[in-house]
């Protein structure tokens, strides 16, 4: 059997569906899973173990057998904890077949096969009875079905079904309850992830301002959560307008209702300001008394906690209010959290009357631009670099063509007095959005949008004119890794016949940089666990390692490194350059070399990024902004994901290998596929 998988193609700028082996999806899900991250979460594991011991003890004290239902068992860890704590039998449910198979092996290896039955089904398909999956209903319910938003992985329908069909009334539950918290803040930085700000353009004779259409100004956006490592956002980037409030709580030992609902809480603003953003997180009590607590609260809510537990499987939530509005200290403000089965969103009102309904994007910008892209477009310093570069290449008679998705460069070119501006938009959504933006800035009849692939553009599309200035950021919505935006080079090649012999290309080239780093925490997501709370989970480590060796899982993966502190162990090293003034090279580009390590530390991996040389003197980096101090701490571009290639040899927390003196590398760019392959090796 074959499966079809979406994969970005840098040579076409689109996502293509490729036929893959039936095991492809399994390997990708295992390789990119958070299983290792969760097992490295010491705080989570200890609290679950404590809660499970307490629940088993309460059942035993009542003179009952302890029958456990573990939904979403994963490796079987929580089930093994339950049996070790004295449970008589455990039904461990895991819907993901490869993980269920691994759980069977892990349970057997740890000697619990006679007490734990792994059921490879969705919990809603499990049957109870003499010939069912479970012989009887359980009296202890253990789950780990939560995501950053708490309910996004389908916890509510699973709980609802379990209480109706799989567990006894009044069962013990671990965790026992969850609470969702919210805090109202004003933050120009976070709001820049949701709205397009006015952009200033200093033209030759006056200043012009790019404004967003009224439809975009009034658009409530999309209700989806933006989950980030909120602990990496400096306190100076937001102003707290309210105390933390509890929006709602759920008791998992009782029947749960998954139907859509809402919860309204009265806020007392502690400071006047613009209500823009809701910061949210949750905690769970592992026992009814609430003495065993696991919290996702950010650092400023845990002032006595010097070492906040790092997690990547559970982070914190940023929700954008439909529109910003002023609030005054001391006035009555009502915050409402809405939820359906899988998601949440927030609104505020000045009266207690609740405005029921979801937020739906009406302007299309929130459908085309993701949160980092909004931030990038709102970065005035970045815009100023493009303005300065454009001034050096544009002339009064310039015929300009822009190739980027949803870019504002055509407006900059028009404001800087290009004679004619064309822009290529890859989709009907981007065409429609950019048309609205051009009209809002009274340029609708001056910038021509071409909704065609570059290779299909004809002379008539360009009004029989030759392009003298070709521009791009470059940015394409299908790009995942930094070099996927090299699609600009392929588009430039396809348009060669429409360009003048002396065409100016901006950016004129791009460089691929690499640096060896030590991560503070991110390494944990790829690190083998070995044993967890005394249980042997090497089988899971081996399964993940096997999947990481399956085709492109051996490649680099994208991460927004502003959220993940690291220190540089080497200087940044230029490894490859692409000249956009030329067409796509015919032969493979290869580079081999070594990078010396300047600082002691664990070489967890290499970070790679692109730097675009707009002109000979002006460059824009998508990666390293600066090495901020002599310890090597790094500051990264907050609007882009960087590529991380993990070195497996350095990820084992128990390894005692000597630190290498250098790392050798071999990097290959395949022009036919637009892909970059790489390998690294430590030198003693």
């Amino acid at each position: 059997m074959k499966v079809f998988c979406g994969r970005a193609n840098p040579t076409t700028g689109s996502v293509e569906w490729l036929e893959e082996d039936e095991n492809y999806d399994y390997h990708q899900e295992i390789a990119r899973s958070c299983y290792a991250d969760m097992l490295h979460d010491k705080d989570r594991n200890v609290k679950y173990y404590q809660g499970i011991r307490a629940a088993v003890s309460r059942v035993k004290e009542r003179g009952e057998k302890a029958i456990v239902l573990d939904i979403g068992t994963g490796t079987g860890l929580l089930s093994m904890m339950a049996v070790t704590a004295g449970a008589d039998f455990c039904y461990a449910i895991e819907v993901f077949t490869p993980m269920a198979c691994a759980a069977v092996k892990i349970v057997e290896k740890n000697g619990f096969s006679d007490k734990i039955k792994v059921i490879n089904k969705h919990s809603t398909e499990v049957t109870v009875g003499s010939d069912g999956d479970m012989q009887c209903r359980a009296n202890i319910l253990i789950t780990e079905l939560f995501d950053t938003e708490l309910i996004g992985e389908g916890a509510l329908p699973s709980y609802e079904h379990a209480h109706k069909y799989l567990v006894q009334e009044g069962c013990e539950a671990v965790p026992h309850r969850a609470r969702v918290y919210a805090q109202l803040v004003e933050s120009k930085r976070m709001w820049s992830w949701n709205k397009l700000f006015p952009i200033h353009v200093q033209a030759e004779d006056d200043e012009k301002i790019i404004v967003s259409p009224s439809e975009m100004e009034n658009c409530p956006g999309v209700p989806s959560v933006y989950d980030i490592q909120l602990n990496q956002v400096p306190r100076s980037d937001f102003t707290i307008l309210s105390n933390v409030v509890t929006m709602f709580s759920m008791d998992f030992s009782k029947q749960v209702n998954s139907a859509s609902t809402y919860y309204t809480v009265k806020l007392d603003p502690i400071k006047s300001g613009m209500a823009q953003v809701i910061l949210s997180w949750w905690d769970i009590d592992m026992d009814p008394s609430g003495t065993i607590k696991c919290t996702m609260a950010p650092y400023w809510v845990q002032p006595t906690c010097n070492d906040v537990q790092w997690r990547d499987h559970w982070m914190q939530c940023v929700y954008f209010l439909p529109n910003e509005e002023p609030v005054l200290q001391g006035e009555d403000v009502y915050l409402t959290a809405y939820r359906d089965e899988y998601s949440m969103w927030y609104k505020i009102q000045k009266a207690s009357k609740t405005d029921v309904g979801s937020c739906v994007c009406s302007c299309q910008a929130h459908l085309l631009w993701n949160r980092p892209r909004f931030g990038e477009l709102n970065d005035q310093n970045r815009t100023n670099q493009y303005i300065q570069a454009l001034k050096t290449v544009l002339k009064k008679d310039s015929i300009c063509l822009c190739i980027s998705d949803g870019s504002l460069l055509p407006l900059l070119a028009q404001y800087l007095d290009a004679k004619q501006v064309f822009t290529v938009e890859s989709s009907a959504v981007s065409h429609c959005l950019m048309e609205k933006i051009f009209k809002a800035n009274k340029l609708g009849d001056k910038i021509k949008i071409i909704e065609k692939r570059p290779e299909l553009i004809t002379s008539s599309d360009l009004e029989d004119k030759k392009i003298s200035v070709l521009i791009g950021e470059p940015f394409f919505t299908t790009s995942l890794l930094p070099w996927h935006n090299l699609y600009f080079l392929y588009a430039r090649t396809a348009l060669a016949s429409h360009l003048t012999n002396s065409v100016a290309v901006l950016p004129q080239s791009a460089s691929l940089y690499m640096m060896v780093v030590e991560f503070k925490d991110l390494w944990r997501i790829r690190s083998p666990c070995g044993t967890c709370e005394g249980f042997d989970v090497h089988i899971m480590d081996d399964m993940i390692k096997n999947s990481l060796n399956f085709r492109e899982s051996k490649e680099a993966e994208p991460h927004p490194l502003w959220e993940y502190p690291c220190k540089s162990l080497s200087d940044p090293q230029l490894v490859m350059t692409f000249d956009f003034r030329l067409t796509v090279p015919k032969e493979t580009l290869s580079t081999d070399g070594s990078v010396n390590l300047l600082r002691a530390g664990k070489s967890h991996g290499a970070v790679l990024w692109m730097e675009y040389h707009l002109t000979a003197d002006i460059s824009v980096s998508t990666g390293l902004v600066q090495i901020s101090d002599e310890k090597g701490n790094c500051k990264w571009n907050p609007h882009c994901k960087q590529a991380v290639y993990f070195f497996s040899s350095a990820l084992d927390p128990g390894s005692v290998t000597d630190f290498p003196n250098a790392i050798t590398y071999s990097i290959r760019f395949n022009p036919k596929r637009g892909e970059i392959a790489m390998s690294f090796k430590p030198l003693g």
Side-chain angles (χ1 to χ4, degrees):
M1 188 176 113
K2 297 289 185 180
V3 296
F4 288 90
C5 300
R7 184 173 169 86
N9 185 337
T11 69
T12 63
S14 60
V15 173
E16 297 179 354
W17 293 96
L18 302 179
E19 191 178 79
E20 299 285 1
D21 180 271
E22 64 178 330
N23 294 317
Y24 177 87
D25 267 351
Y26 287 165
H27 284 295
Q28 292 308 294
E29 187 162 348
I30 294 167
R32 305 294 184 219
S33 70
C34 289
Y35 292 121
D37 175 31
M38 288 188 286
L39 294 181
H40 282 296
D41 187 342
K42 181 72 175 176
D43 179 67
R44 163 194 175 273
N45 299 336
V46 168
K47 302 287 177 60
Y48 260 101
Y49 211 167
Q50 291 173 345
I52 289 169
R53 285 195 191 100
V56 171
S57 294
R58 289 193 298 273
V59 170
K60 293 287 189 178
E61 286 169 3
R62 296 197 294 264
E64 302 174 18
K65 281 189 173 183
I67 308 300
V68 174
L69 173 63
D70 175 9
I71 301 179
T73 194
T75 59
L77 175 67
L78 302 185
S79 292
M80 293 189 293
M81 288 179 176
V83 172
T84 304
D88 294 278
F89 199 80
C90 186
Y91 296 101
I93 300 174
E94 176 56 51
V95 68
F96 185 41
T97 300
M99 204 66 232
C101 294
V104 170
K105 295 176 183 176
I106 292 170
V107 165
E108 182 180 8
K109 185 173 181 65
N110 285 274
F112 297 111
S113 293
D114 60 332
K115 292 284 188 80
I116 298 173
K117 179 183 179 181
V118 178
I119 303 170
N120 181 203
K121 287 185 176 181
H122 194 285
S123 64
T124 56
E125 300 172 340
V126 171
T127 57
V128 178
S130 57
D131 57 351
D133 300 305
M134 299 170 61
Q135 291 294 297
C136 62
R137 290 190 178 220
N139 55 10
I140 299 176
L141 175 59
I142 300 173
T143 58
E144 210 284 49
L145 301 171
F146 313 116
D147 67 351
T148 292
E149 203 174 15
L150 184 68
I151 62 174
E153 290 186 1
L156 297 183
S158 295
Y159 271 117
E160 186 173 41
H161 178 272
H163 277 287
K164 285 181 180 178
Y165 302 107
L166 305 179
V167 298
Q168 298 176 12
E169 185 177 352
C171 72
E172 300 288 344
V174 182
H176 179 80
R177 74 174 64 84
R179 279 176 295 261
V180 172
Y181 300 91
Q183 189 168 36
L184 178 65
V185 304
E186 174 182 352
S187 173
K188 182 178 179 181
R189 179 185 180 187
M190 295 186 206
W191 196 239
S192 76
W193 300 335
N194 185 56
K195 294 285 185 180
L196 184 64
F197 295 170
I199 296 169
H200 298 265
V201 183
Q202 188 61 51
E204 189 172 312
D205 48 358
D206 62 347
E207 182 182 74
K208 303 191 190 291
I209 299 177
I210 297 174
V211 298
S212 57
S214 58
E215 189 177 352
M216 192 185 299
E217 283 287 316
N218 300 321
C219 179
V222 290
S224 58
V225 64
Y226 187 23
D227 52 338
I228 65 172
Q229 294 282 359
L230 205 52
N231 288 317
Q232 297 307 314
V233 178
R235 273 291 283 109
S236 56
D237 278 358
F238 60 95
T239 301
I240 292 173
L241 300 183
S242 80
N243 290 320
V244 177
V245 294
T246 304
M247 292 306 303
F248 61 91
S249 64
M250 294 180 175
D251 186 334
F252 297 131
S253 69
K254 300 176 181 176
Q255 181 60 56
V256 171
N257 189 340
S258 66
S260 298
T261 188
Y262 61 87
Y263 314 87
T264 299
V265 172
K266 183 181 176 183
L267 289 182
D268 295 311
I270 58 175
K271 190 169 185 176
S272 300
M274 293 298 290
Q276 297 172 324
V277 173
I278 301 298
L279 306 181
S280 182
W281 57 91
W282 50 266
D283 65 22
I284 45 179
D285 291 335
M286 295 298 183
D287 63 328
S289 66
T291 55
I292 309 169
K293 190 184 299 291
C294 187
T295 181
M296 307 310 119
Y299 65 88
W300 64 89
V301 184
Q302 304 183 66
T304 59
C305 182
N306 297 321
D307 188 20
V308 176
Q309 173 69 45
W310 182 86
R311 302 178 171 96
D312 205 44
H313 55 105
W314 295 331
M315 293 186 276
Q316 294 82 34
C317 303
V318 173
Y319 295 93
F320 303 96
L321 293 172
N323 284 291
E324 62 179 352
E325 62 177 288
V327 295
L328 298 175
Q329 181 179 351
E331 76 172 330
D332 289 347
V333 175
Y334 296 88
L335 178 64
T336 300
Y338 301 83
R339 71 153 180 84
D340 55 25
E341 282 188 344
Y342 299 99
S343 61
M344 294 173 52
W345 59 98
Y346 285 84
K347 292 183 182 179
I348 63 168
Q349 295 92 25
K350 297 296 178 71
S352 58
K353 181 180 178 181
T354 302
D355 173 25
V356 180
S358 178
C359 301
V360 179
C361 173
S362 58
C363 72
Q364 296 183 300
H366 301 90
L367 305 179
L368 180 67
W369 298 333
N370 60 19
R371 306 302 189 187
R373 178 60 171 164
F374 267 101
E376 187 170 59
L377 293 173
N378 284 320
D379 186 338
Q380 186 69 53
N381 290 331
R382 177 180 181 273
T383 298
N384 289 342
Q385 288 180 286
Y386 280 90
I387 291 171
Q388 293 306 311
L390 283 168
K391 285 179 177 179
T392 67
V393 298
L394 288 175
K395 301 175 183 177
K396 295 291 185 183
D397 61 349
S398 291
I399 308 299
C400 187
L401 174 63
C402 177
I403 303 175
S404 275
D405 289 346
S407 176
L408 301 181
L409 289 188
L411 290 98
L412 301 184
Q414 189 65 52
Y415 282 153
L416 295 173
D417 294 329
K419 182 178 180 180
Q420 174 70 60
V421 179
F422 300 93
T423 184
V424 176
E425 292 298 340
S426 61
S427 69
V429 172
S430 59
H431 183 152
C432 181
L433 173 63
M434 299 316 297
E435 194 169 54
K436 292 175 187 175
I437 294 175
F438 297 159
K439 285 181 179 177
N441 289 278
K442 299 181 173 56
L443 295 175
D445 58 341
K446 295 183 178 179
I447 301 175
K448 181 180 177 182
I449 301 174
I450 304 171
E451 190 186 325
K452 279 187 177 182
R453 300 187 58 77
E455 66 269 20
L456 301 178
I457 291 176
T458 64
S459 293
S460 61
D461 293 321
L462 300 171
E463 299 174 359
D464 295 321
K465 296 171 182 173
K466 291 282 190 179
I467 301 303
S468 59
V469 179
L470 181 67
I471 61 175
E473 299 188 41
F475 171 85
F476 302 99
T477 55
T478 56
S479 298
L480 298 175
L481 292 164
W483 45 88
H484 287 173
N485 285 320
L486 288 175
Y487 171 60
F488 181 75
L489 178 57
Y490 292 87
R492 176 257 181 273
T493 302
L495 290 163
S497 63
H498 300 294
L499 310 178
T500 63
N501 292 332
S502 59
V503 64
V505 183
L506 185 155
Q508 62 183 27
S509 62
S511 295
L512 177 66
Y513 280 87
M514 180 268 289
M515 185 170 70
V516 178
V517 303
E518 176 184 53
F519 287 107
K520 180 181 178 185
D521 294 298
L522 186 63
W523 61 272
R524 300 174 195 275
I525 69 172
R526 296 288 167 264
S527 175
C529 191
T531 59
C532 182
E533 299 307 310
F535 301 100
D536 186 341
V537 293
H538 281 93
I539 290 168
M540 185 211 66
D541 292 336
D542 294 340
M543 182 177 69
I544 292 177
K545 183 178 179 181
N546 179 49
S547 289
L548 284 168
N549 289 330
F550 188 85
R551 208 182 131 187
E552 95 246 28
S553 300
K554 292 183 285 187
E555 298 177 356
E557 53 192 73
H559 290 283
L561 292 188
W562 74 267
E563 296 184 53
Y564 302 101
C566 64
K567 73 172 184 178
S568 64
L569 301 186
S570 74
D571 284 334
Q573 185 141 329
L574 171 64
V575 292
M576 199 171 283
T577 296
F578 305 88
D579 193 335
F580 296 147
R581 293 165 296 188
L582 306 175
T583 55
V584 175
K586 302 292 185 186
E587 304 296 328
T588 297
L589 299 183
S590 303
T591 180
D592 299 277
S594 64
V595 55
N596 294 324
L597 301 186
L598 308 176
R599 299 178 181 87
K602 278 260 190 180
S603 302
H604 287 136
V607 178
L608 299 99
W609 68 93
M610 301 296 290
E611 188 166 303
Y612 294 105
H613 309 294
L614 307 185
T615 66
D617 304 318
I618 303 173
S619 295
V620 174
S621 174
T622 66
L624 188 68
V625 176
Q626 68 179 76
I627 298 174
S628 57
D629 58 34
E630 60 187 23
K631 294 181 180 179
N633 293 315
C634 302
K635 183 177 180 182
W636 299 95
N637 184 318
H639 313 308
C640 304
K641 289 184 178 181
Q642 293 73 40
V644 179
Y645 188 104
F646 289 104
F647 303 156
S648 58
S649 59
L651 295 179
D652 188 341
S655 65
V656 200
T657 56
D658 293 333
F659 295 132
N661 299 319
I663 302 287
T664 63
Y665 59 85
S666 177
I667 298 177
R668 304 283 182 269
F669 173 70
N670 183 334
K672 291 182 180 179
R673 299 173 61 180
E675 294 178 353
I676 288 181
M678 61 194 76
S679 62
F680 298 88
K681 185 178 180 181
L683 284 179

